[in-house]
Amino acid sequence: MLSSSQGKLVRNGEGKKSVIWLEGNIASGKTTCLEYFSKTSDIEVLTEPVSKWRNVQGCNPLGLMYQDPSRWGLTLQTYVQLTMLDRHVLPMASPIRMMERSIYSAKYIFVENLYKSGKMPEVDFAVLSEWFEWIVKNIAIPVDLIVYLQTSPQTCYERLKQRCREEEKVIPLEYIESIHNLYEDWLIHHKSFEVPAPVLVMPADHDLKKMLHQFEENREKILMANC
Ligand SMILES: Nc1ncnc2c1ncn2[C@@H]1O[C@H](COP(=O)(O)OP(=O)(O)O)[C@@H](O)[C@H]1O
Ligand SMILES: Nc1ccn([C@H]2C[C@H](O)[C@@H](COP(=O)(O)O)O2)c(=O)n1
């Protein structure tokens, strides 16, 4: 249930629980990482609601956006903002929540990329920005730790091709490079936007075996996020 605290809407009784956001480029391995941690008791994992972005009442805003970003970028990102907010305010079922991306990266990375690359009209960017500012001012979006899967754009591009999601077949390497640069400016160089929690950087170009080993090595740091 939501109640009001210091002028913001907050979820009740979740002060001691911890929330981790898993951030990274497209096909960097976030879902794979979440699958690994989902086997741990006391952790609930929330994946990105991509299936909704591919099918809202029979329409596919993700596919439309990749076909014509100038026309459909606002449509997709409005829906991403709504569905991510829905994830953030969902009552916690376990003491630890790991969730894939956040309403912050939706705005700071993906909306920013559309706008900076000239594919989002100024008015669309202004409307999304005002919505975002209103949401973070009025609704508590808890986060204790950001885990950043740091990859090279080339690695993501190869994994993306291998995953072969229909809508993403049109994505060029340059798109992945732009997303990479925005993530690095935000979470590593602190050059763009405020970072709302400490960042744990995990190099993620490695093969699966080494990645699983690295997840295990970082388990304590992740589980103790709010201590
Ligand atoms: N360390 C890895 N080495 C090789 N392939 C990987 C690795 N991690 C994930 N993959 C593969 O890359 C693709 C994208 O991974 P996924 O976890 O879905 O990324 P994301 O959720 O970040 O988009 C999938 O096909 C997955 O099986
Ligand atoms: N705000 C966002 C978030 C994600 N997307 C796109 C990028 C991918 O094509 C897809 C899911 O991303 P993944 O989990 O595979 O990294 O959704 C977007 O356009 N805007």
Side-chain angles (χ1 to χ4, degrees), residues 75-187:
T75 308
L76 173 69
Q77 295 305 333
T78 304
Y79 195 50
V80 169
Q81 199 155 272
L82 170 68
T83 52
M84 290 309 296
L85 180 59
D86 184 58
R87 285 282 199 268
H88 284 297
V89 301
L90 206 64
M92 284 177 69
S94 301
I96 300 169
R97 167 177 288 174
M98 276 184 93
M99 64 180 279
E100 188 175 12
R101 294 215 181 99
S102 58
I103 198 168
Y104 279 73
S105 55
K107 175 64 171 63
Y108 293 164
I109 306 296
F110 288 91
V111 173
E112 191 71 14
N113 185 50
L114 284 165
Y115 178 59
K116 273 189 148 177
S117 61
K119 294 191 182 103
M120 176 172 277
E122 192 146 4
V123 62
D124 293 4
F125 182 72
V127 169
L128 273 170
S129 298
E130 291 218 0
W131 258 117
F132 175 75
E133 293 306 330
W134 188 91
I135 289 166
V136 297
K137 188 169 162 219
N138 290 286
I139 302 175
I141 312 281
V143 56
D144 297 288
L145 179 71
I146 297 174
V147 175
Y148 174 42
L149 294 187
Q150 189 180 43
T151 45
S152 67
Q154 191 61 44
T155 298
C156 288
Y157 189 59
E158 278 155 24
R159 290 181 189 167
L160 177 105
K161 283 193 288 185
Q162 175 207 320
R163 178 171 66 191
C164 209
R165 202 181 261 155
E166 190 57 37
E167 293 85 348
E168 295 174 343
K169 286 183 178 164
V170 294
I171 297 181
L173 176 60
E174 294 72 40
Y175 187 83
I176 303 287
E177 284 171 345
S178 303
I179 299 290
H180 173 79
N181 292 335
L182 285 162
Y183 261 120
E184 293 280 304
D185 281 352
W186 179 38
L187 296 180

Side-chain angles (χ1 to χ4, degrees), residues 204-216:
D205 279 339
H206 309 298
D207 64 26
L208 209 48
K209 189 171 169 222
K210 186 149 184 206
M211 286 312 298
L212 298 185
H213 183 66
Q214 206 180 182
F215 297 153
E216 203 45 51

Side-chain angles (χ1 to χ4, degrees), residues 29-98:
K30 299 179 300 300
T31 309
T32 307
C33 176
L34 287 177
E35 262 169 37
Y36 179 79
F37 281 103
S38 70
K39 292 171 192 135
T40 307
S41 57
D42 288 349
I43 299 188
E44 65 168 351
V45 304
L46 298 183
T47 52
E48 263 178 337
V50 183
S51 60
K52 290 189 175 187
W53 306 343
R54 300 174 87 185
N55 183 356
V56 49
Q57 302 187 20
C59 302
N60 182 346
L62 183 71
L64 289 168
M65 188 278 295
Y66 279 125
Q67 291 303 322
D68 187 353
S70 307
R71 170 66 184 85
W72 298 109
L74 175 70
T75 308
L76 173 69
Q77 295 305 333
T78 304
Y79 195 50
V80 169
Q81 199 155 272
L82 170 68
T83 52
M84 290 309 296
L85 180 59
D86 184 58
R87 285 282 199 268
H88 284 297
V89 301
L90 206 64
M92 284 177 69
S94 301
I96 300 169
R97 167 177 288 174
M98 276 184 93

